[in-house]
């Protein structure tokens, strides 16, 4: 299986002297759904900026689809890797919504007809097709967030990085985003989602990466999130469904990590 | 509200008045030419005709009159005092004496005339600008500049300046709201110490925040493949100007030229 992201011994220090990343190594396989977790200031956003080539490693290296990110490959990297910023106000700046979504595809040098098609389908995917001519400043934060996501979808990158995509979305929009992520997964995209939402990560992810103070604390399947000691150390918590069943289950049962798992256990008992 | 499919034709928008649909290159050249010609006029009547023509165009373009007036009043408010000052310091035949207490201000005929001429020229330039920006979207305008061989660096600078100005205003608005939400009252005297302190901190924070914000915006643009020329003009076939474009451009320039010619001859005697 092809490794689309390879991070090796990555270090990064901000100009003010803060070490945001201190020797990070991991790999991501093509087509995987990966959740990136960790306390505030753990270095998630900083890591994502590296994977898109916005920051170049000060020590260590990052490879995307086998190619090392350097100042000469960073432009190419940005055509393969899409990054949705944590704060949509950073990302959304054009006069109208459609102009903003068209920004990326145009930078890819696509012809106008193709740009138009992509803008429409990206806006449709986030449920904002009716807002094409609105100025983004007049939208709510959650709506801007969706525009920011559309702006990256329209570039159709192979690898999509999302920084806190669920925050500020209403439940219906969260649900829709999850469906959208599923759809992208079906298309074979590799997804890396930085999130604080344990319940989401436990039910959605195939792999979990947990950072702590700029280092990798754990990397593995989402069962990791059921390990109480690890979760406490990472500044996270157990998924709600796991909290409900904790201490109640007899031998031979493992804690559920999502609603389906919990239902299976309950059904077993109800029989 | 939102029109379907055909509507997203980015570079040749088909909606709006005929002036909206005019090729942006034509608009830029014609209106800049118009301003250059008209602002060298000296007779009041021809300047006035220039303004009437622009008002006519603005009404054709169906621009929001209130917005236009608001924009004009701003600049007039700023330049008005200058104009008054100018008519005071220009020597010539006394026209009107104004007594304020022990002070006597003498407005001269020449001074007043000069002031009015300057004001009319200003109005011409501003109306033309309103017309241009009111009928042309920002990206169209920038593309037009590129197509007209304005150096890419200049265009990028203009783009960034305008974008960051918007960032600046947004941050300011947000910070004011946040302060007000915590009980800060705007509009008290600047001499009030607490107000002054808060405001000076606000200005400092505003600068810092705008700086980091604009840096992040720049990074976000890079992340979406920006590399110095946000639109690749070479991808978009240069549209041929059609008859309508040339007609309108010609009309605008011709009007200004005719005013000039007339001024040279016919209105020579008609000095105010
Ligand atoms: N521009 C900056 N200058 C200096 N230090 C910074 C800057 N941005 C982030 N840091 C520091 O780098 C560290 C990692 O920050 P980062 O934003 O990557 O964390 P994060 O995991 O994304 O946090 P959050 O969950 O709050 O989004 C933090 O200690 C932070 O204080
Ligand atoms: Mg972050």
């Amino acid at each position: 299986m092809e490794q689309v992201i390879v991070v090796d011994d990555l270090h990064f220090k901000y100009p003010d002297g803060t070490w945001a990343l201190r020797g990070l190594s991991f790999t991501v396989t093509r087509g995987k759904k990966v959740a990136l977790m960790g306390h505030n200031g753990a270095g998630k956003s900083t890591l994502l900026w590296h994977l898109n080539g916005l920051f170049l490693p000060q020590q260590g290296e990052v490879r995307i689809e086998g190619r090392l990110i350097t100042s000469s490959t960073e432009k190419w990297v940005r055509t393969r890797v899409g990054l949705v910023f944590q704060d949509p106000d950073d990302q959304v700046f054009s006069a109208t919504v459609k102009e903003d979504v068209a920004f990326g595809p145009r930078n890819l040098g696509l012809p106008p007809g193709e740009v138009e098609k992509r803008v429409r389908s990206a806006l449709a995917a986030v449920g904002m097709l009716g807002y094409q001519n609105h100025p983004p400043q007049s939208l709510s934060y959650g709506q801007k967030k969706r525009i920011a996501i559309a702006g990256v979808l329209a570039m159709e990158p192979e690898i999509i990085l999302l920084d806190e995509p669920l925050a500020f979305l209403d439940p219906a929009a969260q649900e829709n985003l999850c469906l959208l992520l599923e759809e992208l997964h079906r298309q074979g995209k590799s997804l890396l989602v930085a999130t604080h939402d344990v319940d989401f990560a436990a039910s959605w992810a195939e792999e979990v990466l947990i950072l702590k103070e700029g280092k990798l604390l754990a990397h593995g399947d989402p069962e990791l999130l059921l390990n109480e000691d690890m979760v406490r150390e990472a500044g996270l918590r157990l998924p709600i469904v796991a909290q409900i069943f904790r201490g109640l289950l007899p031998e031979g049962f493992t804690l559920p990590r999502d609603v389906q798992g919990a239902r299976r256990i309950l059904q077993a008992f109800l029989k | 509200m939102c029109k379907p499919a055909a509507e997203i034709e980015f570079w040749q928008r088909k909606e709006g008045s005929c002036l909206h649909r005019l090729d942006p290159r034509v608009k830029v050249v014609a209106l800049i030419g118009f301003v250059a010609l008209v602002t060298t006029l000296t007779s009041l009547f021809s300047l006035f005709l220039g303004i009437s023509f622009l008002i006519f165009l603005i009404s054709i373009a169906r621009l929001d009159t209130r917005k236009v007036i608001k924009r004009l009043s701003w600049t007039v408010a700023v330049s008005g005092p200058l104009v008054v000052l100018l008519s005071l310091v220009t020597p010539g035949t006394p026209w009107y004496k104004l007594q304020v207490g022990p002070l006597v201000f003498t407005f001269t005929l020449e001074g007043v005339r000069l002031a009015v001429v300057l004001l009319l020229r200003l109005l011409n330039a501003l109306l033309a600008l309103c017309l241009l920006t009111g009928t042309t979207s920002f990206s169209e305008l920038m593309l037009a500049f590129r197509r007209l061989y304005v150096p890419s660096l200049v265009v990028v600078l203009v783009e960034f300046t305008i974008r960051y100005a918007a960032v600046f205003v947004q941050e300011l608005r947000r910070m004011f709201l946040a302060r007000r939400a915590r009980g800060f009252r705007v509009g008290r005297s600047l001499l009030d110490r607490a107000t002054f302190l808060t405001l000076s901190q606000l200005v400092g924070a505003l600068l810092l925040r705008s700086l980091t914000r604009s840096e992040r915006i720049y990074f976000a643009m890079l992340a979406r493949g920006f590399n110095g020329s946000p639109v690749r003009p070479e991808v978009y076939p240069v549209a041929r100007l059609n008859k309508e474009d040339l007609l309108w451009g010609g009309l605008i320039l011709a009007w200004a030229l005719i005013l000039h010619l007339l001024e040279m001859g016919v209105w020579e005697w008609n000095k105010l």
Side-chain angles (χ1 to χ4, degrees), chain A residues 245 248-256 261 264-265 268-269:
Chain A
F245 286 93
L248 296 178
L249 292 176
E251 284 289 311
F253 281 93
T254 51
L255 284 174
R264 269 197 298 278
I265 293 177
F269 278 106

Side-chain angles (χ1 to χ4, degrees), chain B residues 197-263:
Chain B
L197 262 181
T198 314
L199 283 180
S200 54
Q201 282 170 2
L202 192 91
V203 171
L206 174 67
L207 284 176
L208 282 179
R209 273 171 62 160
S210 308
L211 198 71
T212 45
R213 173 73 77 187
S214 44
E215 196 176 65
R216 284 205 306 262
I217 290 181
Y218 177 63
F219 272 116
M221 290 168 76
L222 286 184
R224 284 200 276 162
F226 175 77
N227 56 359
S229 73
V231 177
R232 290 191 189 164
E234 71 272 11
V235 180
Y236 298 91
V238 182
R240 291 277 294 279
L241 300 179
N242 60 23
K243 263 191 226 126
E244 202 188 351
D245 290 323
L246 293 176
L247 210 72
W248 273 108
L251 180 68
I252 294 173
L253 285 176
W255 188 271
L257 268 176
I258 288 171
L259 288 183
H260 248 273
L261 291 178
L262 285 182
E263 191 171 281

Side-chain angles (χ1 to χ4, degrees), chain A residues 26-84:
Chain A
F26 66 91
T27 60
V28 174
T29 314
R30 186 180 291 285
K32 283 273 185 235
K33 300 185 281 186
V34 185
L36 176 61
M37 310 199 70
H39 59 86
N40 289 129
K44 302 181 294 294
S45 299
T46 311
L47 172 63
L48 295 185
W49 282 41
H50 276 89
L51 300 183
N52 182 263
L54 290 173
F55 284 161
L56 294 176
Q58 292 168 346
Q59 194 184 319
E61 57 178 48
V62 180
R63 283 172 192 277
I64 298 297
E65 297 180 332
R67 283 170 78 169
L68 199 62
I69 300 188
T70 61
S71 51
S72 58
T73 55
E74 62 183 38
K75 293 222 175 81
W76 169 82
V77 165
R78 289 173 200 142
T79 64
R80 307 297 301 167
V81 183
L83 168 61
V84 180

Side-chain angles (χ1 to χ4, degrees), chain A residues 49 52 54 75 78 85 87 89-91 93 98-100 106-107 110 112 116 120 132-133 137, chain B residues 7-8 10-11 139 163 170 174 213 216-217 219-227 230 232 236:
Chain A
W49 282 41
N52 182 263
L54 290 173
K75 293 222 175 81
R78 289 173 200 142
F85 276 55
D87 185 348
D89 281 324
D90 292 340
Q91 199 181 317
F93 57 78
K98 70 178 182 199
E99 287 275 318
D100 201 87
R106 272 188 211 148
N107 285 334
L110 298 170
E116 174 190 325
R120 290 179 63 78
Q132 291 183 55
N133 294 314
Q137 300 91 305
Chain B
E7 221 251 338
I8 340 178
F10 291 99
W11 305 111
S139 55
R163 243 159 228 168
Q170 253 179 28
R174 236 178 265 162
R213 173 73 77 187
R216 284 205 306 262
I217 290 181
F219 272 116
M221 290 168 76
L222 286 184
R224 284 200 276 162
F226 175 77
N227 56 359
R232 290 191 189 164
Y236 298 91

